[in-house]
Amino acid sequence: MARTVRVRSTTWLAEGVVQVEFRDPAGGELPRWEPGAHLSLRLGNGLVRQYSLCGDPAERDRWTVAVLREPNSRGGSAWVHERLTAGTLVEVEGPQNNFALEGAERHLLIAGGIGVTPLRAMAGQLDGDDADWRMVYCGRSRSGMAFVDELAELGGHRVRVHADDEHGGPPDLTGELAGLAPGTLVYCCGPEPLLNAVEAALPDSADLRVERFRAPERSAAAAPDADSFDVVCASSGVRVPVGADRSVLEVLDEAGVAVPSSCQEGICGTCETKVLSGSPDHRDFVLSPAEQESGNTMMICVSRCRSAELVLDL
Ligand code: FES
């Protein structure tokens, strides 16, 4: 559900990283959220962008996000940095959580740069629960890494900060992950090279949960073939063909069936739609293998259908 919030303050956390604090304009409580959740901000330039909540879920009167100004910003982070000032009203959706903290014997949190934001909230919860957890926080240089002091204070020996410029290069993740204790659930959020390195170094037996900033590049050779199929909206009876080069989201939009969307890369979860029948061909990075197996919902911006007809709860 969309709501309007007011920017209460902005604070510089690190080089290029601004924290934005939102409050309810009428001073009321904001909806609850769990670590790993994000807000979708409707930016005034027509874009919608997701930012992880990084504060304390127990603070019901405020939400905070931290945003790195990307040098190659597609308009999201630059807008946040330039336009969000105290008093600005912003439309937001959420909180929504595709990266929820699950129970495990022990947790390892691996953060890369601004990927620390959801993990900072997780660290707070795990510490409050007296759980067995540790964190590896990587970045190019401490000057650009938000929450370093706060995390060190929170976790002490549990938090290892690795700044590349202090260690002569990136961390040895193979060594870090080689001796992983059984029952460890690993959470990783950061840039694609870090996620790839963690996926490559993780023992087969370990469980990993990741949150991506962008969909990974797929080479043409690795891209799965796309077939044509029909999509049917159960409520309205709208039926439209989905060509091999079109997305379900696109053809429905053209047919007048508007479904909220944001990333259009299968990473944010905004376009998740209930499936009534058909055989979804999941191509997103949000649903877990078990959720994909169940076939109950799909991300219609990227996912397709293996059967001739896909019936959606629209
Ligand atoms: S719009 Fe983000 S997953 Fe579809």
Short mmCIF file of all heavy atoms in Angstrom, two decimals, residues 50 249 260-272 284 286 299-302, ligand 1:
data_model
loop_
_atom_site.label_atom_id
_atom_site.label_comp_id
_atom_site.label_asym_id
_atom_site.label_seq_id
_atom_site.Cartn_x
_atom_site.Cartn_y
_atom_site.Cartn_z
N GLN A 50 14.13 0.85 -4.91
CA GLN A 50 14.06 0.14 -3.63
C GLN A 50 15.29 0.46 -2.77
O GLN A 50 16.42 0.42 -3.29
CB GLN A 50 14.02 -1.38 -3.85
CG GLN A 50 12.72 -1.89 -4.41
CD GLN A 50 12.53 -1.53 -5.86
OE1 GLN A 50 13.47 -1.58 -6.63
NE2 GLN A 50 11.32 -1.14 -6.22
N LEU A 249 4.49 -8.46 -18.32
CA LEU A 249 4.19 -7.12 -17.80
C LEU A 249 3.90 -6.14 -18.94
O LEU A 249 2.92 -5.38 -18.89
CB LEU A 249 5.39 -6.63 -16.97
CG LEU A 249 5.23 -5.30 -16.26
CD1 LEU A 249 4.25 -5.43 -15.10
CD2 LEU A 249 6.58 -4.81 -15.73
N PRO A 260 1.68 -3.00 -10.74
CA PRO A 260 2.80 -2.21 -10.23
C PRO A 260 4.13 -2.89 -10.53
O PRO A 260 4.24 -4.11 -10.40
CB PRO A 260 2.55 -2.16 -8.72
CG PRO A 260 1.12 -2.52 -8.53
CD PRO A 260 0.74 -3.40 -9.69
N SER A 261 5.10 -2.11 -10.93
CA SER A 261 6.42 -2.68 -11.22
C SER A 261 7.48 -1.64 -10.88
O SER A 261 7.16 -0.45 -10.70
CB SER A 261 6.54 -3.06 -12.69
OG SER A 261 6.55 -1.90 -13.50
N SER A 262 8.72 -2.10 -10.80
CA SER A 262 9.79 -1.16 -10.50
C SER A 262 11.04 -1.52 -11.28
O SER A 262 11.34 -0.94 -12.31
CB SER A 262 10.05 -1.14 -9.00
OG SER A 262 11.16 -0.36 -8.73
N CYS A 263 11.78 -2.53 -10.81
CA CYS A 263 13.10 -2.81 -11.39
C CYS A 263 13.00 -3.35 -12.82
O CYS A 263 13.87 -3.10 -13.63
CB CYS A 263 13.85 -3.80 -10.52
SG CYS A 263 13.15 -5.47 -10.56
N GLN A 264 11.96 -4.10 -13.09
CA GLN A 264 11.78 -4.79 -14.38
C GLN A 264 12.97 -5.66 -14.73
O GLN A 264 13.27 -5.91 -15.90
CB GLN A 264 11.45 -3.79 -15.49
CG GLN A 264 10.23 -2.98 -15.10
CD GLN A 264 9.57 -2.23 -16.22
OE1 GLN A 264 9.94 -2.36 -17.37
NE2 GLN A 264 8.58 -1.44 -15.89
N GLU A 265 13.66 -6.13 -13.70
CA GLU A 265 14.81 -7.04 -13.87
C GLU A 265 14.66 -8.29 -13.02
O GLU A 265 15.58 -9.08 -12.92
CB GLU A 265 16.11 -6.34 -13.44
CG GLU A 265 16.49 -5.13 -14.20
CD GLU A 265 17.84 -4.60 -13.73
OE1 GLU A 265 17.99 -4.34 -12.52
OE2 GLU A 265 18.75 -4.48 -14.56
N GLY A 266 13.52 -8.40 -12.33
CA GLY A 266 13.33 -9.59 -11.51
C GLY A 266 14.07 -9.59 -10.20
O GLY A 266 14.36 -10.66 -9.65
N ILE A 267 14.36 -8.42 -9.65
CA ILE A 267 15.10 -8.40 -8.38
C ILE A 267 14.35 -7.75 -7.23
O ILE A 267 14.76 -7.87 -6.09
CB ILE A 267 16.48 -7.72 -8.52
CG1 ILE A 267 16.33 -6.29 -9.01
CG2 ILE A 267 17.40 -8.50 -9.42
CD1 ILE A 267 17.61 -5.49 -8.89
N CYS A 268 13.26 -7.02 -7.50
CA CYS A 268 12.65 -6.25 -6.40
C CYS A 268 11.39 -6.88 -5.81
O CYS A 268 11.04 -6.59 -4.68
CB CYS A 268 12.36 -4.83 -6.85
SG CYS A 268 10.93 -4.70 -7.96
N GLY A 269 10.69 -7.68 -6.58
CA GLY A 269 9.48 -8.32 -6.07
C GLY A 269 8.21 -7.51 -6.24
O GLY A 269 7.13 -7.96 -5.87
N THR A 270 8.29 -6.30 -6.79
CA THR A 270 7.11 -5.43 -6.88
C THR A 270 6.02 -6.04 -7.75
O THR A 270 4.83 -5.89 -7.46
CB THR A 270 7.51 -4.05 -7.44
OG1 THR A 270 8.57 -3.53 -6.65
CG2 THR A 270 6.34 -3.07 -7.41
N CYS A 271 6.37 -6.71 -8.83
CA CYS A 271 5.37 -7.19 -9.78
C CYS A 271 4.90 -8.60 -9.48
O CYS A 271 4.27 -9.23 -10.33
CB CYS A 271 5.93 -7.12 -11.20
SG CYS A 271 7.27 -8.31 -11.46
N GLU A 272 5.17 -9.11 -8.29
CA GLU A 272 4.79 -10.48 -7.95
C GLU A 272 3.28 -10.65 -8.13
O GLU A 272 2.48 -9.86 -7.62
CB GLU A 272 5.19 -10.79 -6.50
CG GLU A 272 4.91 -12.23 -6.12
CD GLU A 272 5.54 -12.59 -4.78
OE1 GLU A 272 6.05 -11.68 -4.09
OE2 GLU A 272 5.51 -13.79 -4.43
N ASP A 284 13.41 -14.90 -12.20
CA ASP A 284 13.67 -13.80 -11.27
C ASP A 284 14.77 -14.18 -10.28
O ASP A 284 15.25 -15.32 -10.28
CB ASP A 284 12.40 -13.46 -10.50
CG ASP A 284 11.97 -14.61 -9.61
OD1 ASP A 284 11.30 -15.52 -10.11
OD2 ASP A 284 12.36 -14.62 -8.43
N VAL A 286 14.28 -13.27 -6.91
CA VAL A 286 13.61 -12.97 -5.65
C VAL A 286 13.12 -14.25 -4.98
O VAL A 286 13.40 -14.49 -3.81
CB VAL A 286 12.41 -12.03 -5.89
CG1 VAL A 286 11.64 -11.80 -4.60
CG2 VAL A 286 12.87 -10.71 -6.48
N MET A 299 7.17 -13.40 -10.92
CA MET A 299 7.51 -12.01 -11.25
C MET A 299 7.28 -11.82 -12.74
O MET A 299 8.06 -12.33 -13.56
CB MET A 299 8.97 -11.70 -10.90
CG MET A 299 9.36 -11.98 -9.48
SD MET A 299 8.37 -11.12 -8.27
CE MET A 299 8.50 -12.27 -6.90
N ILE A 300 6.21 -11.11 -13.08
CA ILE A 300 5.81 -11.08 -14.49
C ILE A 300 6.65 -10.12 -15.34
O ILE A 300 6.45 -10.04 -16.54
CB ILE A 300 4.31 -10.77 -14.64
CG1 ILE A 300 3.98 -9.39 -14.08
CG2 ILE A 300 3.47 -11.85 -13.99
CD1 ILE A 300 2.57 -8.94 -14.43
N CYS A 301 7.61 -9.42 -14.73
CA CYS A 301 8.49 -8.58 -15.55
C CYS A 301 9.52 -9.39 -16.30
O CYS A 301 10.01 -8.95 -17.34
CB CYS A 301 9.16 -7.51 -14.70
SG CYS A 301 10.27 -8.15 -13.44
N VAL A 302 9.88 -10.57 -15.76
CA VAL A 302 10.91 -11.37 -16.43
C VAL A 302 10.51 -12.83 -16.64
O VAL A 302 11.00 -13.46 -17.57
CB VAL A 302 12.25 -11.34 -15.63
CG1 VAL A 302 12.91 -9.98 -15.70
CG2 VAL A 302 12.05 -11.80 -14.20
S1 FES B 1 9.39 -5.20 -11.27
FE1 FES B 1 10.93 -5.85 -9.90
S2 FES B 1 10.69 -8.00 -9.86
FE2 FES B 1 9.33 -7.34 -11.40
#
